[in-house]
């Protein structure tokens, strides 16, 4: 790849006295190239556009400035910081085409890996962290839509995952626009675009974002395209007209409960047949609603708040198979069967609060919404976490992550104080009294 800007070059810009020094080219795509740069002693990323991109999208600069003025919706976005218009000297010295420009954004940490590496089976990430990634994705879109903005072109190509934590980063935010705007050339990526946008019947909007969000969640959870089933195998050449039929004119979700014509083929499509049954019914129902009915009726698409609720409850149901250690999601209070080894799952103890129940399994956490039913779901400020004893993994404790001491009531009536950042054993626990409300152990 030929770099638009040579390494070591220094660019000056109109409107700022601080120059940019190009350190290295990080990669490129259809719109331009991204560079690691030094700006006032800080390492940042700079996207620089191809001249052809600016000709196709003359409103791009105005859209970027509007995004900067709107401010970053939340920390999951690599949001534009500053639009850079090179001065005349830089244009002439570096041979930059007149009218070219770029913008600054945060540099993506190396720990964040392309989401496409996960769907391609090249990224090791637990189901818990994968669900946290999906939660953060829905949370990011909730914040974006709350500002009256829509993304328009979300896909695997502009999403990054941090496998150890489940945190995400969304790049290419120059696609973001005011909801309902008729300006801009970006419509989306086939396979992620809502059918009405693909067919030219509607402009990208928050409604089409909701469809794309469901596609992305499905692909993260199953590593498969929600519309590639037996109907795709009947197509000799998956060219653009065929893709329009498959994703726009006749989109049949591979697990549509009312239409089995596009089910996955066991030989050609094993991944979704293995992964789909793993997840709880309430999560699968939202995917069915949005990707089956919602493909034809935009009014049936699940809202971001519904995704946050379903994904957080799925995380609350997470357990570990006692036979193979695999992550499983049994129905609360019911026995089950491990999807991996086939072993029987016992009824797992759970911690019951006013806003929900959490399986007493290592790695699961309690949050404010568990105590207060009307509070929005959040995963970034846990109040307690279930941990296994470092020497006896069969012994579980609850670590108090709040600022207040909690009081545990044991089976013989004893009361034990659990100070902040300390753990109390769950082996003989009956209940815990906290300032936020009671916790009851259900066995």
């Amino acid at each position: 790849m030929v770099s638009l800007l040579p390494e070591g070059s220094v660019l000056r810009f109109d409107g700022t006295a601080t120059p940019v020094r190009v350190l290295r080219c990080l990669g490129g795509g259809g719109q331009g190239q991204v560079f690691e740069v030094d700006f006032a002693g800080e390492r940042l990323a700079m996207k620089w556009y191809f001249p052809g991109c600016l000709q196709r999208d003359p409103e791009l600069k105005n859209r970027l400035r509007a995004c900067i003025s709107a401010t970053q919706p939340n920390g999951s976005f690599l949001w534009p910081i500053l639009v850079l218009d090179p001065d005349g000297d830089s244009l002439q010295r570096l041979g930059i085409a007149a009218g070219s420009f770029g913008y600054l954004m945060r540099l993506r940490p190396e720990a964040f890996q392309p989401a496409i590496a996960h769907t391609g089976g090249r990224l090791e990430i637990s189901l818990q962290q994968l669900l946290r990634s999906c939660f953060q994705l829905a949370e990011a879109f909730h914040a974006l839509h709350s500002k009256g903005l829509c993304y328009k072109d979300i896909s695997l190509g502009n999403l990054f995952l941090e496998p150890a934590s489940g945190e995400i980063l969304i790049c290419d935010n120059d696609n973001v626009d005011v909801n309902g705007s008729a300006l801009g050339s970006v419509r989306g990526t086939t396979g992620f675009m809502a059918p009405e946008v693909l067919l030219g019947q509607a402009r990208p909007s928050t409604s089409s974002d909701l469809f794309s969000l469901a596609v992305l969640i499905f692909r993260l959870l199953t590593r498969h395209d929600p519309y590639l089933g037996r109907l795709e195998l009947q197509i000799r050449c998956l060219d653009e007209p065929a893709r329009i039929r498959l994703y726009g004119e006749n989109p049949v979700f591979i697990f549509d409960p009312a239409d089995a014509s596009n089910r996955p083929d066991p030989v050609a499509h094993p991944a979704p047949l293995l992964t789909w049954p793993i997840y709880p019914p309430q999560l699968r129902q939202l995917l069915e609603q949005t990707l089956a009915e919602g493909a034809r009726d935009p009014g049936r698409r699940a809202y971001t708040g519904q995704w946050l609720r379903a994904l957080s409850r799925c995380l609350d149901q997470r357990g570990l198979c006692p036979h193979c250690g695999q992550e499983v999601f049994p129905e609360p209070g019911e026995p089950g069967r491990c999807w991996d080894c086939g072993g029987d799952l016992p009824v797992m103890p759970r911690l019951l609060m006013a806003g929900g129940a959490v399986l007493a399994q290592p790695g699961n956490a309690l949050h404010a919404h568990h105590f207060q039913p009307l509070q929005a779901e959040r995963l970034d400020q846990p109040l307690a976490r279930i941990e296994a004893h470092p020497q006896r993994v069969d012994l579980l404790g609850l670590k108090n992550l709040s600022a207040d001491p909690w009081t545990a009531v044991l089976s013989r009536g004893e009361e034990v104080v659990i100070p902040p950042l300390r753990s109390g054993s769950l082996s003989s626990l009956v209940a815990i009294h906290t300032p936020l409300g009671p916790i009851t152990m259900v066995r």
Side-chain angles (χ1 to χ4, degrees), residues 240-439:
E240 192 59 24
R243 290 168 67 83
I244 289 174
R245 286 197 303 274
L246 197 65
Y247 294 109
E249 295 171 349
N250 185 36
V252 180
F253 178 45
I254 59 174
F255 292 115
D256 188 331
D259 187 347
S261 64
N262 196 28
R263 288 286 185 265
D265 181 86
V267 176
H269 314 123
L273 293 171
L274 172 67
T275 54
W276 179 249
I278 293 174
Y279 303 103
Q282 68 267 26
L283 184 56
R284 298 202 305 263
Q285 286 165 7
L286 276 190
L287 288 164
E288 289 170 358
Q289 174 186 321
T290 304
L291 298 174
E293 301 170 59
R296 300 179 292 271
D297 178 5
R300 293 291 295 149
R301 293 166 188 170
Y303 291 104
T304 50
Q306 292 175 278
W307 285 116
L308 294 175
R309 189 174 306 111
L311 288 162
S312 65
R313 289 180 179 175
C314 187
L315 284 163
D316 295 342
Q317 284 182 234
R318 172 189 164 273
L320 298 176
C321 173
H323 309 289
C324 69
Q326 182 59 266
E327 293 173 288
V328 292
F329 301 90
E331 288 300 299
E334 298 180 13
R337 188 174 294 277
C338 177
W339 63 268
D340 192 5
C341 72
D344 291 331
L345 300 176
V347 175
M348 298 183 183
R350 61 191 190 278
L351 299 171
L352 183 63
M353 294 140 288
V358 177
L359 286 188
Q361 294 282 287
N364 290 352
L366 309 187
H367 302 273
H369 63 264
H370 290 129
F371 296 91
Q372 302 169 22
L374 299 181
Q375 186 158 331
E377 293 81 3
R378 289 185 60 175
L379 303 181
D380 59 337
Q381 297 176 341
L383 297 171
R385 181 175 292 109
I386 299 156
E387 298 181 343
H389 190 279
Q391 278 80 45
R392 291 277 308 276
V393 294
D394 57 319
L395 293 180
L396 300 179
L398 185 67
K399 187 173 184 177
N400 178 7
L401 301 176
S402 76
D404 300 302
W406 293 359
T407 302
V409 180
L410 307 183
S411 57
R412 294 184 179 180
E414 306 102 314
E415 292 189 354
V416 178
V417 175
I418 308 176
L421 301 182
R422 298 296 296 272
S423 298
S425 174
L426 297 181
S427 59
S428 59
L429 181 73
V430 173
I432 300 177
H433 300 298
T434 83
L436 293 170
I439 304 171

Side-chain angles (χ1 to χ4, degrees), residues 4-322:
L4 287 172
L5 303 171
E7 291 184 7
S9 59
V10 175
L11 290 82
R12 296 186 179 277
F13 305 95
D14 296 330
T16 176
T18 306
V20 161
R21 182 164 62 90
V22 177
L23 301 177
R24 61 183 177 125
C25 181
L26 298 173
Q31 290 183 314
Q33 295 176 349
V34 178
F35 299 86
E36 182 180 354
V37 299
D38 181 283
F39 182 77
E42 184 178 2
R43 296 290 178 92
L44 295 172
M46 179 179 72
K47 184 170 183 176
W48 200 261
Y49 293 101
F50 295 130
C53 172
L54 305 180
Q55 294 169 4
R56 295 190 303 270
D57 193 356
E59 291 296 323
L60 176 56
K61 186 182 293 186
N62 292 334
R63 200 164 63 243
L64 276 169
R65 286 177 170 152
C67 285
I68 295 170
S69 298
T71 69
Q72 177 177 269
N74 72 11
S76 293
F77 292 91
L78 291 172
W79 203 249
I81 298 171
L82 178 67
V83 174
L84 300 172
D85 287 302
D87 64 11
D89 175 68
S90 296
L91 288 174
Q92 184 176 9
R93 179 166 41 84
L94 297 174
I96 300 172
S100 296
F101 72 94
Y103 72 88
L104 290 175
M105 57 184 162
R106 283 185 296 142
L107 193 64
R108 173 175 59 86
E110 291 184 1
F112 285 82
Q113 301 298 311
I116 200 165
H118 161 66
T119 58
R122 303 186 303 277
L123 185 67
E124 187 173 338
I125 182 171
S126 69
L127 294 179
Q128 182 185 43
Q129 303 308 351
L130 190 61
L131 287 162
R132 288 179 63 90
S133 295
C134 292
F135 182 94
Q136 288 200 13
L137 187 61
E139 195 172 41
F141 271 75
H142 185 80
L144 183 75
H145 293 172
S146 296
K147 284 182 169 285
L149 302 173
C150 63
Y151 189 91
K152 302 198 301 186
D153 190 21
I154 189 67
S155 70
L156 290 169
N158 37 39
L159 178 66
F160 295 86
L161 313 177
E162 204 287 288
S165 66
E167 291 185 13
I168 67 165
L169 285 175
I170 300 171
C171 68
D172 290 342
N173 293 291
D174 43 6
N175 298 321
V176 171
D177 205 349
V178 174
N179 182 42
S181 173
L183 300 175
S185 62
V186 175
R187 291 196 307 151
T189 301
T190 302
F192 294 88
M193 249 189 293
E196 69 274 12
V197 176
L198 178 61
L199 296 176
Q201 298 169 352
R203 297 290 303 173
S205 65
T206 54
S207 175
S208 61
D209 270 0
L210 294 177
F211 181 85
S212 302
L213 173 63
V215 172
L216 197 48
I217 289 174
F218 181 86
R219 294 193 67 158
L220 289 173
L221 294 179
T222 68
R223 294 180 175 176
H224 192 74
D225 187 304
Y227 297 100
L228 292 187
R230 289 188 174 123
L231 293 180
E232 175 230 354
L233 298 180
Q234 299 171 14
I235 301 171
R236 291 187 177 182
C237 177
L238 195 60
D239 55 12
E240 192 59 24
R243 290 168 67 83
I244 289 174
R245 286 197 303 274
L246 197 65
Y247 294 109
E249 295 171 349
N250 185 36
V252 180
F253 178 45
I254 59 174
F255 292 115
D256 188 331
D259 187 347
S261 64
N262 196 28
R263 288 286 185 265
D265 181 86
V267 176
H269 314 123
L273 293 171
L274 172 67
T275 54
W276 179 249
I278 293 174
Y279 303 103
Q282 68 267 26
L283 184 56
R284 298 202 305 263
Q285 286 165 7
L286 276 190
L287 288 164
E288 289 170 358
Q289 174 186 321
T290 304
L291 298 174
E293 301 170 59
R296 300 179 292 271
D297 178 5
R300 293 291 295 149
R301 293 166 188 170
Y303 291 104
T304 50
Q306 292 175 278
W307 285 116
L308 294 175
R309 189 174 306 111
L311 288 162
S312 65
R313 289 180 179 175
C314 187
L315 284 163
D316 295 342
Q317 284 182 234
R318 172 189 164 273
L320 298 176
C321 173

